[in-house]
Amino acid sequence: MTNLDQLLEQSKQLTTHIISPLHQPIARGLQQIEQQSKRLLKRTAQDEPIKMDNRAAFLLANKGFDDRKVTDALDRIDLSLTFEPLHGLPDTDIQGYLRNEHENIISSAIQEQKTRAVHDFEDRYHRKLQKDWVEAKQRIMQELGYQQQDMEMEVEEPKQLGEPTKRVQRHGKFTSNPRLAGYSAVVQSINDCRKAGRPFNPLNTFAATCEQLATDSQQQFMIRCWNLVIKMLSSRSQRLDPCYPGHFSKDYEQALEKNEQGSAFRLKMVHGARHWLEENYTLWVREHVRNQRYEIGGMPSVFDEVDAIISLRFKRNNRYIIPWLDHKIGKFPFWAHLYTLVRMGLKDQGLELIKRYAHEFENSKERMFPVYYEHWMNAEDSRLPKKERDQLLAEWNASIRDYVVDAKTPPKGDVFKYALYKIIGRCEVNIRTVRNNDVITSTEDYLWFNMMLLQENQVKTDAPTDRFTLFDFSSKMQQFGLAHFKTSATWFMVLLLCGEFELAVGELYKDPYFSLDAVHFAIALSYYGVLRVPQTPRTIASVQSLVSSEQVGTHKVHYFHYTRMITKFIQPWAQSEVIHVLPYIYTIGIYGAPLSEASDRQQQREYTQFVYGFLRDILKTCTDYSLVLGSVRADGGGRIPGSIETYKHLIHLKDDHEFVDQIVLVAAKDAEGDGRYRDSLQLYHLGFKYNSVLHLLSRRLGDTLAQHGMLYDAHHDKSKAVLQTSEGNLPLDADPVASAHAVLEFYKHRASAQLDPKTVGTCETLIAFARFKALIEAGQYEDGLTVFYQVDIFPTTSDFNAVTAKANAFGQVDELVARVVPQSVLLAGDTLLKLYELSKSGRQSMDKQPNEQRAKQLQDRFKALHLFLGSLQYRVSSEIYAKMNRIDVLIG
């Protein structure tokens, strides 16, 4: 027992550094001790060592590592104690335990966040890389003219409950889309009027077309946007007068300047925008009153409608539920009525309402308000005289400015009165809203309130804080951006109200559902001269946007890349329906100028050159030139004009000769350089360059003969078919020899075709060589040699003088013919050898002359050819010389 007691005491001493002597030890039962022992074993037990793979051991050994030492070192690492405290904690040290757990949690969180950050970085990196790659491919494909015929775009359209639904918009046939067909008809009308020199009204025509074809609420909204642009350019009028292209171009150019003309044009746009907002609000009031079935009589006045809308908004059970409405004047919410009239743009009716209760103003704090209102209403720039404005500001600062603090704090006075004073006196212009949802209820209310505070004409007495122009309004709205206004249609409307037409169209084009509308907005604005474009059409904007910007003073000026938009828009139909896309290309001519004009219009001439290059690119994929370029009349006397020639003046082509030189012939040379053989022939033919057609045919035929390619079919003559052709198109065939023969006959039967005799002779010679070669290969040796000697190039006798004369004359032969002469002479020499062998063997039954005499004649002819070929220095290869020498030995 003594030993056991001693052992117990010693075991207790083992935990003295853990258990404080101030605390009693916790007595555990056997079951608790067993559980704690198993838990301790589980935490400290080492796993069985993992056996190393033989291949891993071999690899480590090759690198100079001892696999046993490495394994032992790894086994000694105890990961189970990773998050254990460095020094043991007493069981009762709760604070130490919690501190250790807190540190463990922080360490785990840091490690987890680090892992997540690495994962997020890699994920975003790959997504950004993929996005950049897609944009790069898109840009490259566009620059290379890639065309996708049946593109599909997913468009998100809000449902009735605000949930997005996806709709697929297809680019099928040009005429299969009713909206596109309707818009394109207007574009065609624009070009027809430009061609005839008549004024036109694109905006109202586009608006009417959009109204006819609108099928949903978003298209209805586009009708309102068309009307907005009409209002801004006409200043309140419902319709623009027909005008010529560029009608507002000078005014719009001056709109960037801070001078009288620029201020006047900006003010004109502001007045039109305000009137549009007011008109829309008036329509909403009447529609809302009608939909709520409010009884206002059969012939309601404006005052009845205003009373109805205020009652619907603020009355319940015949009592006004808004406590801050002021009823002192007229015993009704006078200020709410007056504000609503002003919001509807009915200032005259507002003055009438004020005069109706003028006697009540005399004894009120606002006795000067009728004077303020009348001055404000009658002023052209809505500016109060300095004396009246100072009085109004005194009233404002005394009490009215404290009516509204913020949207959460209840107002201390009538907020409608607060809003009217703020508008009329332009009080605290730096705060451009009313922080109350009963006054500013919508985006359009907010925009209208801001535009009522705009002041373009600055005077010396204005404080710096009173400055608020259209430029300032635009900058503020651009800071909000699309994310604030939620939908692209609303954002488009906001930018139009700011006068930022370039940015508005560019932002609308980004939405696939509205891209069609954006294109035709751009066309209409360009017609009126209110769409600013860069100095050169080849400036490349970013893939996402068609707009580039430039900082000019304190204002950012935007430029719309009109040519790139047209290029992207017509791509799906540029090959299959080229006749429908040409009118859109003609609209680029609005920014162009004739190439022959003075150097001060270099920018416009670059746009003209772009159009010409664009049309030539379109011709590369065109399958029918007759509709685009026209066709030559059957008698060769003139051309039936195509679309480009009909509208040539729209792209600054002054006459038919310039059309041929700038479009047809340049396209023909491009086709020739690209190896598009048939296209180049047709284009040269349309350009009346018949000698160029024959020269190209001859070159093609010479290449074919030199390469031992296609041969002339001696039994197939197409000349009869050519003579029966009633159209002016070239009779081309897949066989270059047949084509050359048919075209040559085609031109010979047209008196208007002025052909160069040398070019004709070259073509006829090459055709003869082709016939000669074909007859020889068909075994008709005598007929073949007859054709060969009909070409007046080769000597028929070995007389030295005759051979020398032919050799000297050979220098005048066209190079296309000279290339194939050595091979033709070799073939003729080989044919003479075959006939010589036949004559010597006596099997030439058709020969009427004695065989010996015939053999000598053949020998003489070969000798003549041999001498002739020898006199052509540097033109004959050594291989041909060797073969001729071999024949000379056999025939000699």
Side-chain angles (χ1 to χ4, degrees), residues 11 492 827:
S11 63
F492 173 65
L827 182 59

Side-chain angles (χ1 to χ4, degrees), residues 187-203:
V187 175
Q188 184 64 46
S189 300
I190 292 175
N191 290 325
D192 289 337
C193 288
R194 289 175 60 204
K195 174 177 174 288
R198 298 195 308 268
F200 191 66
N201 187 349
L203 279 173

